[in-house]
Amino acid sequence: MNDWKKKAVVYEAYVQSFKDSNGDGIGDIQGLIEKLDYIKNLGANVIWLTPIFKSPLVDNGYDIADYQAINPIYGTMDDFKKLLSKAHEKGLRIVLDLVVNHTSDQHKWFKESQKNKENKYSDYYIWRDPKEDGSAPTNLGSAFGGSAWTYVPERNQYYLHLFAKQQPDLNWDNPEVRNDIYKIMMFWLDMGVDGFRMDSISFISKPSKFEDAPLEDNKEYGAYYYGSANGPHIHQYLQEMNREVLSKYDVIAIGETPHTSAKEARLFVEPERHELDMVFQFEHMHVDYGKYGRYSDVTFKMSDLRNSMSSWQNSLSWNSNYLGNHDQPRIVSRFGNDNKYRKESAKMLAIVSLLQKGTPFIFQGEEIGMTNLHIKKIDELKDLEAHNIYNFLRSKGISEDDALNMVNRKTRDNARTPMQWDESEQGGFSSETPWMEVNPNYKEINVKKDLKDPDSIYHFYQKILKLRNNNQVLLDGKYELVSSDDSAVFAYTRSTGKEKLAVICSFVPYKVKYNLPTDFVNRNELLLSSYGDNKAKASNVMYLRPYEGVVIRRE
Ligand code: TEU
Ligand code: CA
């Protein structure tokens, strides 16, 4: 991996909720341009934009109707070019979301494809005949609920959609599909875009023969990823994409790989394979799954989080380090404490994740400790997934209150509320009513406040990122877990031949005693503490305050 990629720090901007520049309640490209310095000053140098392309927005833009057109609600192509050049002037790179496991059903390819079996696009999607009784080819369910197959009378066939029925899956086995995708990629790369985050990329290669999936817990449908996660030709296609496109540009390729084990992930990212630079793994996002999967009423155990993150650190030479994104609840609400210790735990979570080996990813709002939204009525939620899940939970006899609580804990809307810029109405996000409500705590939690306070979460992120940037050992150094039997503290070291740092993080709301790793005893220097004031040198024991995180150097 070359130097700039190693030093990349990625800020994910959920565009429609980042900054509205023209008062229509929707975040836009111009708004992003206004805030480039904000992102740069934080210490990020790459911005990943969630999809900004033409889309009917059934899944907030992850359903694309035209890959080469900007959705007018975000601005124009000229605005985008301006964003690109302004960002480049400031030394910031721009990464786009490439959503090519599926398109929107409004894409011209699909509109043609569904007409009949004889047109140019008829084989662009995954079509299968009905069973003899006319029912769907298999029992596969979609990620958002219901069957993954939808019937089209014109073809007397079903098409596959792992996600919403308005998101038909592309047929990557068709070389023309792959070619068209490569052309789209080159269109943006030739314009100067610096890389892609590739949505659901582990699903692109489908099994040649679809089979029924085993049904768990009297569910009606089989798991959506059955047979499609890491399908038969996935690596052949990614190597081809690398050869045909990526290798010709100096760009970054980040794959989103749900339902991929660490062993399988190696195949995507080990440099000699010439596929991608890194992947987003999901294992650590499953630490609080339960009987109803993600939407269960379960709280994570720190040791599970630690085991999962460490096993990925040990398996891959480079990781994408993240705790939250636009699909996940707010990290301080999920893994920290969004009440009394919001500030403390938000800082600690940043240390624990961003200093592991790999690329740090910061999702907008994390840097000021934004929290989950707690809605009181299901109608207040926007996300289609939340509604489908709520109905499913209710159908299983779960009470309204319990179902709402389960959805509130995990809904993707938690991450999608508008960015809280200041204490003015609508949190300074927009002058009008935003497309989605602002978290009512915006007067307490906002950027303006954090920028003023030297002890804020924002300023602490700056410190962490500076530390990473100024210490080669944090870029290249080997990751080692210190101990795996401590229930309160997640500690790891980063080391090269001569240098060694220890990152020590408490996950509990009380003071704990921590015995330093032997090689740090009596010889350590404090580099960073989330409490800021911890100047005393520790001999062999450290008393960590609630959710305290520290970085020490071996002397
Ligand atoms: O998510 C892929 C994915 O696997 C989903 O299961 C995701 O984890 C889910 O939303 C969690 O409940 C990507 C995008 O990040 C997501 O926003 C899209 O909805 C999805 O692909 C379809 O494009
Ligand atoms: Ca706008």
Side-chain angles (χ1 to χ4, degrees):
M1 191 176 295
N2 69 26
D3 207 48
W4 79 258
K5 289 196 208 175
K6 229 183 234 175
K7 289 193 174 142
V9 173
V10 185
Y11 187 87
E12 179 189 357
Y14 195 69
V15 183
Q16 55 267 61
S17 298
F18 190 60
K19 177 76 180 111
D20 175 22
S21 71
N22 61 352
D24 64 357
I26 305 169
D28 46 51
I29 298 174
Q30 209 54 51
L32 263 160
I33 296 177
E34 284 172 29
K35 298 295 181 186
L36 286 174
D37 286 330
Y38 169 78
I39 297 172
K40 186 185 160 97
N41 291 340
L42 179 66
N45 48 29
V46 176
I47 308 175
W48 149 30
L49 308 184
T50 51
I52 49 169
F53 315 100
K54 192 173 162 207
S55 161
L57 304 178
V58 169
D59 185 20
N60 281 1
Y62 283 91
D63 46 324
I64 298 176
D66 183 344
Y67 290 94
Q68 282 162 229
I70 303 284
N71 189 331
I73 62 171
Y74 303 130
T76 63
M77 190 61 91
D78 277 346
D79 292 331
F80 179 73
K81 288 183 178 157
K82 200 157 141 216
L83 168 70
L84 203 56
S85 70
K86 286 253 154 77
H88 286 168
E89 264 169 43
K90 295 176 192 293
L92 294 164
R93 288 181 160 85
I94 299 286
V95 162
L96 293 180
D97 220 311
L98 183 73
V99 189
V100 286
N101 171 67
H102 45 268
T103 68
S104 158
D105 62 350
Q106 300 305 307
H107 194 289
K108 72 165 191 261
W109 298 340
F110 189 73
K111 284 186 173 166
E112 291 301 314
S113 193
Q114 64 181 347
K115 283 185 186 157
N116 52 54
K117 296 179 185 168
E118 284 85 39
N119 69 74
K120 176 166 174 352
Y121 299 105
S122 52
D123 196 29
Y124 265 50
Y125 295 85
I126 320 269
W127 293 99
R128 291 289 184 277
D129 292 334
K131 279 196 188 140
E132 252 161 49
D133 64 356
S135 63
T138 70
N139 69 359
L140 217 61
S142 114
F144 296 143
S147 172
W149 298 101
T150 291
Y151 182 69
V152 172
E154 286 76 9
R155 291 183 58 136
N156 185 27
Q157 279 188 316
Y158 283 83
Y159 67 88
L160 177 74
H161 51 89
L162 299 187
F163 296 93
K165 70 170 189 293
Q166 298 89 340
Q167 292 169 298
D169 281 55
L170 282 165
N171 176 16
W172 276 69
D173 293 333
N174 179 349
E176 284 173 39
V177 168
R178 304 203 298 277
N179 243 317
D180 277 348
I181 291 170
Y182 302 156
K183 279 195 216 141
I184 291 163
M185 292 172 75
M186 289 191 277
F187 169 82
W188 292 106
L189 296 177
D190 288 335
M191 196 185 291
V193 164
D194 302 288
F196 295 106
R197 175 267 187 187
M198 302 180 186
D199 191 70
S200 298
I201 205 74
S202 48
F203 300 139
I204 57 172
S205 171
K206 303 300 192 288
S208 53
K209 192 173 173 335
F210 282 89
E211 280 165 5
D212 279 343
L215 290 181
E216 297 159 18
D217 291 338
N218 57 46
K219 282 210 175 109
E220 203 182 335
Y221 298 103
Y224 74 101
Y225 49 85
Y226 183 78
S228 296
N230 294 291
H233 304 294
I234 175 100
H235 298 295
Q236 179 195 326
Y237 297 156
L238 290 178
Q239 282 169 16
E240 180 186 86
M241 179 200 276
N242 188 297
R243 209 165 47 239
E244 299 294 324
V245 186
L246 298 171
S247 63
K248 299 180 179 158
Y249 303 81
D250 180 21
V251 293
I252 196 162
I254 308 155
E256 189 209 26
T257 54
H259 300 286
T260 297
S261 68
K263 196 168 157 223
E264 288 165 324
R266 288 179 60 86
L267 302 175
F268 290 84
V269 300
E270 290 314 308
E272 68 279 3
R273 295 185 47 87
H274 302 286
E275 295 189 19
L276 306 176
D277 291 308
M278 63 192 86
V279 295
F280 288 120
Q281 60 108 349
F282 280 74
E283 195 184 272
H284 67 311
M285 292 290 111
H286 293 181
V287 291
D288 51 7
Y289 277 34
K291 183 169 172 213
Y292 296 101
R294 163 178 171 141
Y295 287 83
S296 308
D297 186 8
V298 171
T299 299
F300 83 111
K301 243 168 67 192
M302 188 275 278
S303 54
D304 289 341
L305 183 71
R306 182 176 55 201
N307 288 343
S308 169
M309 292 185 98
S310 290
S311 84
W312 280 75
Q313 284 285 317
N314 293 333
S315 304
L316 300 191
S317 60
W318 197 261
N319 276 273
S320 305
N321 296 325
Y322 78 99
L323 288 175
N325 60 36
H326 67 285
D327 290 333
Q328 302 293 337
R330 286 286 171 185
I331 68 175
V332 72
S333 301
R334 185 184 194 178
F335 299 117
N337 175 319
D338 64 8
N339 228 307
K340 189 166 167 209
Y341 294 112
R342 185 183 66 87
K343 210 163 144 178
E344 290 78 2
S345 62
K347 290 179 180 179
M348 180 282 288
L349 290 170
I351 299 195
V352 98
S353 127
L354 305 182
L355 294 181
Q356 293 186 24
K357 188 173 181 192
T359 301
F361 282 81
I362 300 156
F363 176 63
Q364 70 180 45
E366 269 167 24
E367 74 280 18
I368 55 165
M370 278 175 62
T371 68
N372 278 356
L373 186 70
H374 297 280
I375 52 105
K376 300 199 179 54
K377 282 206 297 287
I378 188 70
D379 315 339
E380 293 171 45
L381 290 181
K382 296 275 181 221
D383 183 25
L384 80 168
E385 181 176 271
H387 289 277
N388 290 334
I389 292 289
Y390 179 80
N391 294 336
F392 168 76
L393 294 172
R394 293 286 291 127
S395 78
K396 293 283 161 200
I398 294 175
S399 74
E400 268 178 41
D401 279 0
D402 288 349
L404 200 60
N405 171 43
M406 288 153 95
V407 170
N408 261 330
R409 291 170 73 106
K410 290 292 178 64
T411 174
R412 308 194 293 181
D413 282 353
N414 284 318
R416 300 175 178 186
T417 60
M419 185 71 183
Q420 294 162 211
W421 293 103
D422 58 40
E423 72 293 330
S424 70
E425 228 179 297
Q426 314 302 356
F429 163 73
S430 175
S431 53
E432 292 302 321
T433 309
W435 74 279
M436 184 179 187
E437 74 166 298
V438 180
N439 192 314
N441 63 21
Y442 68 90
K443 290 204 166 102
E444 223 8 75
I445 303 171
N446 62 59
V447 169
K448 193 171 151 203
K449 225 173 151 184
D450 259 37
L451 291 180
K452 257 197 250 152
D453 173 9
D455 185 41
S456 67
I457 302 171
Y458 179 92
H459 286 122
F460 194 67
Y461 266 76
Q462 281 184 323
K463 284 186 192 145
I464 297 175
L465 296 173
K466 250 188 217 126
L467 189 74
R468 179 178 185 272
N469 204 32
N470 295 336
N471 285 278
Q472 199 63 32
V473 60
L474 287 172
L475 297 175
D476 291 324
K478 185 171 170 239
Y479 170 100
E480 266 172 303
L481 187 62
V482 173
S483 72
S484 50
D485 61 358
D486 192 312
S487 62
V489 178
F490 183 161
Y492 60 85
T493 57
R494 299 291 311 274
S495 57
T496 54
K498 41 187 196 313
E499 250 199 305
K500 193 165 188 180
L501 304 189
V503 177
I504 302 168
C505 293
S506 164
F507 273 71
V508 292
Y510 42 82
K511 209 166 176 182
V512 281
K513 179 178 168 195
Y514 184 73
N515 295 317
L516 288 188
T518 38
D519 48 351
F520 286 81
V521 170
N522 291 323
R523 44 184 297 222
N524 60 76
E525 175 202 359
L526 183 86
L527 299 184
L528 191 67
S529 156
S530 58
Y531 276 68
D533 58 347
N534 198 346
K535 290 277 174 285
K537 197 164 176 159
S539 50
N540 57 346
V541 169
M542 217 174 226
Y543 295 95
L544 296 166
R545 285 161 288 183
Y547 294 101
E548 186 167 26
V550 300
V551 183
I552 56 176
R553 185 203 302 277
R554 188 183 64 191
E555 280 184 329

